[in-house]
Amino acid sequence: IKKDNQEDYTDDNSENTLKDLINIEFIYDRIIEGLRFNDGFNEVNFYKDISHEHDLYSDAVLFYSILQKLITTAINYRQAKNDNKIQFTVRDFSSTHLLIIIQFTCGMVSPRELNDLFEKNIKDIFNIDAKNSEHLSVKEAIQKLNGSLDIYNKSGKDVVFTISLPY
């Protein structure tokens, strides 16, 4: 994302920060293309449903990193030898927040195990190296964007990651 597409915005702390206009579909498509050679990729069917009215301005590097980690996790925790799918849905949650949902079929994994994975603060937790984002956990990255992450385990088989981010 080019710097000339950035604008100044003021956050809740009254600090001037540069934020990028986020093209969610473009970022999602690049992540899927980049993961094409990962183990298990061909065992998963991907579905996307993106519909939102408001523009999202955020840190593009952190946004990309968060989605990449969550989608990679969904691929890695797929059910062996089953019909696996990853559903990516984006909707307006309100006039101030965007809702991103990643739902996938999952092997036996506890919500606690997934929660612990996203709280880890280790180097190289993301596959890109920019702005020191590689040192942040998924939860820390989402908090930096003033968002929230919830993890739901439906009937022990489907997992849903729900991210809420401010516009």
Side-chain angles (χ1 to χ4, degrees):
I1 297 177
K2 296 181 180 180
K3 285 194 181 259
D4 57 349
N5 287 339
Q6 296 179 336
E7 298 180 31
D8 274 327
Y9 288 87
T10 305
D11 63 15
D12 293 337
N13 297 329
S14 299
E15 297 175 16
N16 287 332
T17 59
L18 283 178
K19 293 189 177 186
D20 308 302
L21 175 60
I22 304 295
N23 182 331
I24 297 170
E25 187 165 13
F26 177 80
I27 289 174
Y28 173 82
D29 290 343
R30 296 298 68 80
I31 290 169
I32 298 303
E33 185 62 33
L35 294 174
R36 189 164 299 285
F37 299 105
N38 279 26
D39 185 42
F41 180 89
N42 293 326
E43 298 173 25
V44 178
N45 295 311
F46 295 88
Y47 303 93
K48 68 179 173 184
D49 182 8
I50 301 171
S51 177
H52 59 97
E53 294 182 21
H54 303 283
D55 289 336
L56 175 64
Y57 288 91
S58 192
D59 183 314
V61 172
L62 288 179
F63 185 84
Y64 184 100
S65 300
I66 292 162
L67 285 188
Q68 182 185 41
K69 181 62 177 171
L70 294 176
I71 294 168
T72 301
T73 300
I75 293 170
N76 291 342
Y77 282 90
R78 72 196 178 283
Q79 289 182 331
K81 301 177 184 176
N82 269 354
D83 182 30
N84 293 289
K85 74 174 189 171
I86 297 175
Q87 174 69 46
F88 180 76
T89 306
V90 178
R91 293 288 187 270
D92 292 305
F93 182 67
S94 68
S95 62
T96 61
H97 282 79
L98 181 73
L99 190 63
I100 300 169
I101 302 168
I102 300 171
Q103 180 176 351
F104 64 100
T105 49
C106 181
M108 296 307 284
V109 61
S110 71
R112 178 75 184 150
E113 183 180 348
L114 289 172
N115 231 348
D116 290 346
L117 176 67
F118 298 134
E119 289 178 355
K120 289 181 181 175
N121 185 357
I122 58 172
K123 188 173 178 170
D124 301 324
I125 196 161
F126 301 122
N127 292 331
I128 59 176
D129 182 19
K131 298 183 186 175
N132 292 324
S133 66
E134 74 276 9
H135 297 289
L136 297 176
S137 71
V138 169
K139 286 197 173 186
E140 288 171 328
I142 289 172
Q143 287 172 353
K144 264 184 114 51
L145 299 180
N146 296 317
S148 64
L149 170 68
D150 292 308
I151 302 171
Y152 302 96
N153 191 348
K154 293 173 60 178
S155 67
K157 141 179 152 172
D158 288 349
V159 173
V160 180
F161 299 139
T162 305
I163 303 168
S164 175
L165 294 174
Y167 283 116

